[in-house]
Amino acid sequence: MSWLERLRDGLSKTRKQLNDTAGNLGTDLKDTFTRLDSVEDLEYALIAADVGRTATEEILEDVRASRQPNLQQALMEALTLQLEPDARRAQFRKLGFSPDARRTVVDPKGHVVMVIGVNGVGKTTTIAKLGQYYMGRGRSVMFAAGDTFRAAAGAQLGVWGERLGVPVVQGPEGGDPAAVAFDAASARAARGTDLLFVDTAGRLHTKHNLMEELKKVRRVIDKADPGEPTEVWLVLDAVTGQNGLAQAKKFHEATPLTGVIVTKLDGTAKGGILVPIVRELGVPIKFIGVGEQADDLQPFDSQDFVRALFDVEIPRSQPG
Ligand SMILES: Nc1nc2c(ncn2[C@@H]2O[C@H](COP(=O)(O)OP(=O)(O)O)[C@@H](O)[C@H]2O)c(=O)[nH]1
Ligand SMILES: [Mg+2]
């Protein structure tokens, strides 16, 4: 399967839900908006996909004002805008989309990326996928097994490291995650490895302690390697929808995020959750996960995402 087929495949549940409604609306915009039922259907479909109220209202406004002759085109454009951070949304409204401007930058600014999020969202798997992605682009990679609370977590990352040929810095089970992060960050700097991905714990039941722990991990990385981590990426499970968004805000307060990775888009009809994630966190989505295999992680591209949602041909090659 090509990356594009994987994306389409992964988004099939959300697509079916949106397309069923948008498809029923006919293609003539004027006609649609004179029939109130149809607008309500569209509104319902967007809300049901977790796009959120504010964004849905803006989308309907944009669609009404659109010069596109066809509803699907107008809706696609409006949705794409909602998937862009504020500044870029304003720029796109003014200048239109340009293929270069829209490309999300996924290269970390520095060398250390902290990966955070609650248990089970896919942090450890995503770190493995990230390792594969960046190694495929010629970067050297290391992992730090910073989830020392879960018995199996260090072992899980160790297995991935072996499979991918990535060195993994481990600590004793139940040990101090900050110590593992410190050792790993020091080792990365000493070896001159391009990228270090730091796995972290994600227990929900002791949220306060978890947030303090994450702050501490961040501080010790900076101590070992001043200026790092330059990136803190939150992994969010798309299946958890609005709950996930509420969690995300808590993490963002404790450890300011530089990016979000949304996993399990293949398991939900609520792929619209990406819209409130971008709008309410104001943080770009870096990657999306559309399956369990190592290459089921793709740099996020708002236009490709929306095209895949509507099953429209994407006449381009895979982004480098
Ligand atoms: N379907 C699907 N499953 C995923 C995806 N990403 C991760 N998973 C699965 O989610 C489960 C939890 O992943 P894990 O990395 O252990 O989560 P962690 O607790 O946050 O480290 C595993 O079974 C993964 O295979 C995805 O994009 N799609
Ligand atoms: Mg894990």
Side-chain angles (χ1 to χ4, degrees):
M1 246 199 276
S2 74
W3 68 281
L4 182 57
E5 285 164 330
R6 280 185 200 283
L7 178 60
R8 283 196 187 170
D9 230 51
L11 294 177
S12 57
K13 289 187 188 171
T14 305
R15 178 173 61 244
K16 185 174 174 349
Q17 213 225 4
L18 265 182
N19 240 347
D20 280 359
T21 316
N24 290 341
L25 292 172
T27 50
D28 184 6
L29 257 186
K30 281 207 187 96
D31 183 48
T32 297
F33 282 101
T34 52
R35 287 185 295 133
L36 192 63
D37 281 10
S38 311
V39 182
E40 274 172 4
D41 282 350
L42 180 55
E43 198 171 350
Y44 174 77
L46 291 170
I47 302 257
D50 259 354
V51 165
R53 287 242 164 242
T54 321
T56 295
E57 274 160 29
E58 277 187 30
I59 287 170
L60 291 175
E61 244 166 63
D62 279 0
V63 168
R64 277 194 186 92
S66 172
R67 279 188 227 122
Q68 291 283 357
N70 150 321
L71 176 65
Q72 182 170 301
Q73 281 298 327
L75 182 55
M76 285 173 65
E77 249 182 45
L79 254 176
T80 309
L81 277 178
Q82 295 294 333
L83 287 164
E84 297 289 346
D86 286 351
R88 301 208 319 166
R89 193 179 320 142
Q91 184 196 344
F92 287 142
R93 273 193 205 280
K94 224 166 65 196
L95 303 173
F97 290 96
S98 89
D100 295 332
R102 75 160 198 267
R103 183 75 61 224
T104 306
V105 178
V106 293
D107 269 351
K109 279 199 203 77
H111 302 286
V112 183
V113 182
M114 234 177 113
V115 178
I116 67 177
V118 301
N119 269 347
V121 292
K123 289 182 298 301
T124 305
T125 314
T126 298
I127 285 175
K129 291 173 174 178
L130 287 167
Q132 165 139 325
Y133 177 86
Y134 287 108
M135 280 198 302
R137 276 146 189 82
R139 319 292 292 275
S140 54
V141 173
M142 280 174 64
F143 296 152
D147 182 359
T148 54
F149 290 101
R150 250 182 167 184
Q156 187 190 355
L157 195 60
V159 169
W160 275 114
E162 228 162 79
R163 205 182 293 170
L164 298 170
V166 171
V168 183
V169 175
Q170 303 264 8
E173 192 190 313
D176 182 3
V180 177
F182 186 88
D183 287 350
S186 309
R188 193 232 43 97
R191 295 177 202 173
T193 303
D194 292 326
L195 295 169
L196 167 67
F197 294 94
V198 181
D199 199 4
T200 58
R203 301 159 308 159
L204 250 187
H205 53 283
T206 50
K207 207 180 285 167
H208 176 73
N209 293 340
L210 173 61
M211 295 306 165
E212 290 310 309
E213 189 74 66
L214 292 175
K215 287 186 201 168
K216 185 173 167 198
V217 167
R218 195 192 159 92
R219 278 197 308 272
V220 302
I221 292 173
D222 186 46
K223 215 175 259 175
D225 191 0
E228 300 287 353
T230 41
E231 307 282 343
V232 179
W233 292 350
L234 176 79
V235 179
L236 263 185
D237 175 344
V239 179
T240 62
Q242 297 289 341
N243 279 339
L245 188 57
Q247 290 162 11
K249 287 177 183 163
K250 294 238 161 64
F251 278 99
H252 196 27
E253 280 163 25
T255 320
L257 306 172
T258 61
V260 174
I261 297 176
V262 185
T263 57
K264 308 190 195 180
L265 275 163
D266 51 312
T268 178
K270 293 177 174 290
I273 190 68
L274 268 71
V275 168
I277 288 172
V278 173
R279 287 185 63 105
E280 291 181 37
L281 294 179
V283 168
I285 294 171
K286 298 282 184 182
F287 289 89
I288 54 174
V290 291
E292 288 190 275
Q293 296 182 37
D295 54 354
D296 284 333
L297 184 79
Q298 306 190 346
F300 177 67
D301 178 304
S302 59
Q303 275 191 304
D304 284 352
F305 183 83
V306 171
R307 284 178 173 144
L309 268 186
F310 286 85
D311 217 2
V312 169
E313 277 305 319
I314 307 178
R316 285 196 293 105
S317 54
Q318 174 164 19

